[in-house]
Amino acid sequence: MRMSNRADLPPYFGIDPAAAAARLAEPIDTARFAKAAAFAMRGRDDLSRRGYAPDGKKRLRKFSTWEICKYLIPVNVAHLRRVLKAHPDLPQGIGEGAAKRFTLEEVLVLREHFATEGAGWREYKTWRPEGLPAKVLAVANFKGGVGKTSTCAHLAMSAALDGYRVLVIDLDSQGSMTSIMGGKVADEWQTAFPLLARDFALHLEQENRIRAAAGQQELPLDETLKEALQVSPRNLIQKTHWPNIDLIGAQLNLYWAEFQIPVWRMQLRGWALWDSLGNALSEAGILDEYDIILLDTPPALGYLTINALAAADILLVPLGASFLEFDSTGRFFDMIYSTFASIEEGENRARREAGLPEIGFQWDAVRALITRFDPAQQTDLANVVQAYFGDFMTTFRQEMTAMVGQAGEQVSGIYETDYRNFNRDTYVRGRETFDRTWAEVKEVILGTWWRDLKLAETEKEG
């Protein structure tokens, strides 16, 4: 092969191909990725521990009297101090005077006191109707980098600050939500995977009872399915550093579900794979133990996301104010339609033949919300997105602020960040980004609960 002279080469920024080749390492084989993954894992652990205590555990910071009165309990600081002085049995916090600080557990105790003893016209506690199940919210979009996990985490924290009991289920094998919540997950048996396997195993046992009654050969139940039958969501739920947020975590092996679920479906075509997660939450009584359940999904419309969508009452779809994200979200909606319409068509064909009533998927509400918004550059496009998606959209747009960025670098939420690290006005603006998102989502939650309550009362009267 003839070697090119320098004069033969095009002047690509003065790059010498021979010198460039000399700087290359040897060709990469598959084992090199294992080394890179190991380095990344160590780096991830190191970075994530920026938000941890020296003993390796995450702890929620304490809240000042200023924060409590501004954001959590509708009383002024002077009145709170008078109440604490008059009731020494109440949590007194630590520190002196205006510098007193309280744990969230103590804040919740104070809120209960004011709800019982405070002014009757003020709402000290958030509303959740008795006798109705938790609301399940799925945060989904199949485009990565749109703020799904950040939005999901901050909604969980906002709800917890309001006093709700929250369960977060991480369905993304990257495990980012698990890291934010300080979760520890050893393998796939501590994720949602065994819940899906258990649902299939239960259907397989039911099928085998039918086969046995008909004198047919039974289908095998392997060791994985036998083990899954012993698993309940309660086995998987772990506490977090938030007193009223629990977690079912995720780790890399959860992705195996995307390969295993279609294998199970081929083995038993009558298995409604999309109902597995919803069945697990309902049968275990989880919907009665929590107020709000948040599902953080992977950036794909795979089997885990389909389960999350089918289990959800409310669908939240974060997207950025760019053409590509608008286009991708439109395609995501189209895929939801085609996927669930196909399921409905297949199921209802069989149900019609069996003389059974038809089924149909239904969500209480869907809201797309714009994240990482830059009002100086993206307002026009955001207005276009708002116009085309219409009533699917929230009105507030999450602005990207320095405070939000810094919290992300520390693997924590803005509510976990001490406002003393910022100018107070900066803190207020940064917090407003997620406070206003929560306000719109909370309005949807309360509205759907109210509608459910009225429907239940109508059915009872009828």
Side-chain angles (χ1 to χ4, degrees), residues 330-349:
R331 296 175 191 274
F332 178 62
F333 288 144
D334 187 50
M335 286 192 69
I336 292 177
Y337 162 72
S338 59
T339 299
F340 284 93
S342 175
I343 294 172
E344 288 173 346
E345 182 181 355
E347 288 294 298
N348 288 332
R349 187 186 308 115

Side-chain angles (χ1 to χ4, degrees), residues 110-396:
L110 293 176
R111 182 180 279 149
E112 286 287 345
H113 171 82
F114 280 104
T116 304
E117 304 292 339
W121 55 272
R122 286 186 174 173
E123 295 183 2
Y124 296 100
K125 294 176 64 177
T126 58
W127 181 73
R128 185 253 172 100
E130 282 189 41
L132 293 183
K135 282 296 176 184
V136 181
L137 287 73
V139 184
N141 198 334
F142 65 20
K143 190 174 193 329
V146 296
K148 289 192 305 295
T149 298
S150 177
T151 297
C152 189
H154 284 99
L155 288 174
M157 295 173 190
S158 297
L161 289 173
D162 265 1
Y164 286 119
R165 299 163 299 169
V166 182
L167 174 64
V168 176
I169 303 179
D170 191 351
L171 296 172
D172 187 349
S173 58
Q174 296 177 83
S176 299
M177 174 64 78
T178 302
S179 293
I180 291 173
M181 300 311 302
K184 303 295 182 183
V185 182
D187 55 34
E188 67 272 22
W189 285 96
Q190 294 178 18
T191 72
F193 172 78
L195 301 182
L196 310 181
R198 183 176 186 275
D199 190 71
F200 174 72
L202 290 171
H203 279 75
L204 193 61
E205 286 187 329
Q206 182 180 14
E207 173 69 16
N208 281 338
R209 285 192 289 270
I210 295 173
R211 285 172 173 258
Q216 299 174 352
Q217 183 177 357
E218 297 183 16
L219 298 172
L221 201 71
D222 63 27
E223 290 304 314
T224 296
L225 298 177
K226 290 177 182 177
E227 186 173 351
L229 285 171
Q230 309 306 312
V231 176
S232 158
R234 287 182 176 78
N235 304 138
L236 309 174
I237 293 171
Q238 53 183 293
K239 297 293 182 182
T240 72
H241 55 295
W242 285 73
N244 48 350
I245 301 179
D246 291 343
L247 171 74
I248 296 179
Q251 58 101 252
L252 190 60
N253 290 350
L254 174 59
Y255 194 71
W256 179 246
E258 298 291 354
F259 300 97
Q260 188 60 59
I261 288 174
V263 173
W264 290 333
R265 171 72 169 176
M266 290 296 294
Q267 186 177 355
L268 188 59
R269 299 290 297 182
W271 175 49
L273 63 89
W274 48 86
D275 283 337
S276 299
L277 181 60
N279 288 341
L281 296 176
S282 178
E283 292 169 3
I286 300 299
L287 297 176
D288 298 320
E289 295 183 13
Y290 294 90
D291 301 309
I292 294 170
I293 298 174
L294 282 154
L295 311 177
D296 187 39
T297 64
L301 191 56
Y303 295 108
L304 291 167
T305 302
I306 288 172
N307 260 277
L309 296 179
D313 301 302
I314 298 167
L315 172 60
L316 303 176
V317 184
L319 74 153
S322 74
F323 169 78
L324 291 179
E325 294 185 35
F326 173 53
D327 179 56
S328 175
T329 302
R331 296 175 191 274
F332 178 62
F333 288 144
D334 187 50
M335 286 192 69
I336 292 177
Y337 162 72
S338 59
T339 299
F340 284 93
S342 175
I343 294 172
E344 288 173 346
E345 182 181 355
E347 288 294 298
N348 288 332
R349 187 186 308 115
R351 294 176 76 86
R352 284 192 296 268
E353 293 174 357
L356 298 172
E358 296 186 9
I359 64 162
F361 293 95
Q362 195 172 62
W363 291 266
D364 287 342
V366 176
R367 290 293 183 273
L369 49 110
I370 290 177
T371 60
R372 301 176 293 107
F373 178 61
D374 180 354
Q377 300 185 38
Q378 297 180 318
T379 297
D380 288 344
L381 187 51
N383 290 339
V384 171
V385 173
Q386 193 93 26
Y388 278 102
F389 282 156
D391 61 358
F392 266 19
M393 295 294 301
T394 58
T395 57
F396 179 70

Side-chain angles (χ1 to χ4, degrees), residues 60-76:
L60 185 60
R61 67 179 178 87
K62 293 180 172 63
F63 297 84
S64 71
T65 51
W66 170 77
E67 285 181 284
I68 293 170
C69 295
K70 181 173 178 61
Y71 295 112
L72 304 179
I73 302 176
V75 297
N76 62 51

